[in-house]
Amino acid sequence: MTPILSIQQLTAGIEEREILKGIDLVVNPGEVHAIMGPNGSGKSTLASVLAGREDYTVTGGSVTFMGKDLLEMAPEERAREGMFLAFQYPIEIPGVSTANFIKTAVGELRKHRGHDPLEPAAFLALMREKMKLVEMDSSFLNRSLNEGFSGGEKKRNEIFQMAMLEPTLAVLDETDSGLDIDALRIVAHGVNALRSPTNATVVITHYQRLLDYIVPDVVHVLWNGRIVRSGDKSLALELEKRGYDWIKNEAAVEA
Amino acid sequence: MNSEQSILDDVVGSEYKYGFTTDIEQELLPPGLNEDVVRFISAKKEEPEWMLEWRLKAFRQWQSMQEPVWPNVSYPKIDFQDIIYWAAPKKKDGPASLDEVDPELLATFEKLGIPLEEQKVLAGVAVDVVLDSVSVKTTFQDKLKELGIIFCPISEALRDHPELVRQYIGSVVPPSDNFYAALNSAVFSDGSFVYIPKGVRCPIELSTYFRINARNTGQFERTLIIADAGSYVSYLEGCTAPQRDENQLHAAVVELVAHERAEIKYSTVQNWFPGDKDGNGGIYNFVTKRGICEGAHSKISWTQVETGSAITWKYPSVVLKGDHSIGEFYSVAVTNNKQQADTGTKMLHVGKHTRSRIVSKGISAGVSQNSYRGLVKVLKVAEGARNFSQCDSLLIGDACGAHTFPYLEIANATATVEHEATTSKIGEDILFYCNQRGIDTESAVALIVNGYAREVLNQLPMEFAVEAQKLLAISLEGSVG
Ligand SMILES: Nc1ncnc2c1ncn2[C@@H]1O[C@H](COP(=O)(O)OP(=O)(O)OP(=O)(O)O)[C@@H](O)[C@H]1O
Ligand SMILES: [Mg+2]
């Protein structure tokens, strides 16, 4: 089985400062991986580097996505190849409706795959269906993307877009933060509904609570730019109980 | 050619004296401006005596005026004696149909991609093309004639409807208005004339494509539109120009008159050569556009999409004289590379309960400078006037500039004036977000810009809105990353 994502000894940073200090991670089809870790440990940086953000310079290592060299690709190519990042802080685009934005994105994806654009009526129906999945009112489609959306609505909108784009690999960066209990359940339900044996999900989170809903196959702890521990679901429970200090100490001893 | 030659001889003495040259395609005067040039142009157009006098008076006024220095633009000094003031396609007797038009000329149109033929005709647009100053072709004349609508080159109107022209020309923009208006009044070569009779709703969009084609030739069109009581007209002006490397001056004058309950909608898509990346070449566009809402309940609406020219200096304005009259200004002005634009509007409230609405969307990219300059003036007598202004700026990249200069002069305490302004930026965060959804940077800019400009684009007739949308994307190509 070829992995969906294979990261080897990845190092990256900004200017003089190294933030990722040698990441190894393999994600296979059908799997859910959770990445946890203290603030500032490099979780969002890892997500950004995978998505191709130019602020970060990759200084070493390799990333293979669906058998292709991911680091060679422009950010939009990565997206069209099936990489999706749900942003920790989704931005607002004034003047561009959510519908028009996602229509453009889906259009690019279909073009990349050699498919014709969807008929407007079919597309509208699809949007409505996916909006329902995250329990958003379809009136959001006519509003400017994320403009004036509440924090929770922005996060749901990320999952809506994910549902429309059906990525092979979805990286969710703290999609659960700022969600109330109901919204958390809704978002988790959306993510679970999109799971299949051919795609995979990486969830970055601080709370084991989310993992009650989206059950991970593997839990990783990222600290100081490295994955210092991996385990099954019980690792998350243990972290919840004991915090990060014991892991930091162990890692420090090993280093 | 005999009558032409004899007039020439009468007025300017001899061909030799003025170095009048004729090549295969053009009649050109040598560069320079003096009273004889004004006389020559007037004679060329076989104008009545009063028109010549009017031009000469304007010329004398111009001589005593100074080029304005207040706009927020800079350019090398223009030598007005180094400009050619007359260039016309060789004229046989006026062509009655396309078949009679010089094939060379048609080929030029083809190259410019003017959709003169079927497309526009099918779209219900009558086209009055100005190529190097002389109107060559007018379609749909007959249909318009049935309704009593006059839509023709202004030179023709001077011949066929001299009283109308005499009554209105210079009544909205007097020659003394400003330096460029005076210059235009002295040397205008041609332009469009529109008259809509009482109670008539013009059934088609009247459209003129202006083209600049001759080397080093200043362009001085003059447009005059009169909507009589209770009438309606929508007029479209669109421009493109072939690439060239010398700066070209363009100083047009547009005058609109709306009588009681009449409505004039004037839309412009302006896409003259903006100069290359380093700012070489490109058109200098110094235009005076003004309309007067003469009668009660009349309405004038300006919509402009400005993407071209090296320098744009343009303030379509409305004088709200009639009670309850309405003035509107919708503008998208794009500057990229080294373009400079200083544009905006003036709304002058004179009548009671007059209303004005200003929606200005500036977009700057590259190292360009984009200024909005607006004046809302409410006179003491203008009881109950209202204005709403929205001035937005969108910046693409870090090296460009956006400036707004809103002026308010309110002399009546019952006036309601609202002003809103925003500045936003297409920053890396937005672009990366779009990229992450599979939308490349160029498409992302187009998507955002079109969204940003929608309120203005919506004011344009359908076909034009689509063209304008494409134009926005094209003019911003390569503006980021
Ligand atoms: N563009 C940047 N410029 C400067 N420093 C950066 C930049 N991006 C990340 N960093 C730094 O790198 C470190 C890792 O940041 P990152 O956002 O990846 O952490 P995180 O694990 O996602 O934290 P959190 O749990 O708070 O979201 C932090 O110290 C952060 O300040
Ligand atoms: Mg983070």
Side-chain angles (χ1 to χ4, degrees), chain B residues 321-332:
Chain B
K321 190 173 160 202
D323 292 346
H324 299 279
S325 59
I326 299 173
E328 292 178 336
F329 173 74
Y330 294 94
S331 169
V332 177

Side-chain angles (χ1 to χ4, degrees), chain B residues 94-108:
Chain B
S97 80
L98 263 186
D99 308 338
E100 291 178 28
V101 174
D102 184 355
E104 286 281 301
L105 211 52
L106 288 179
T108 312

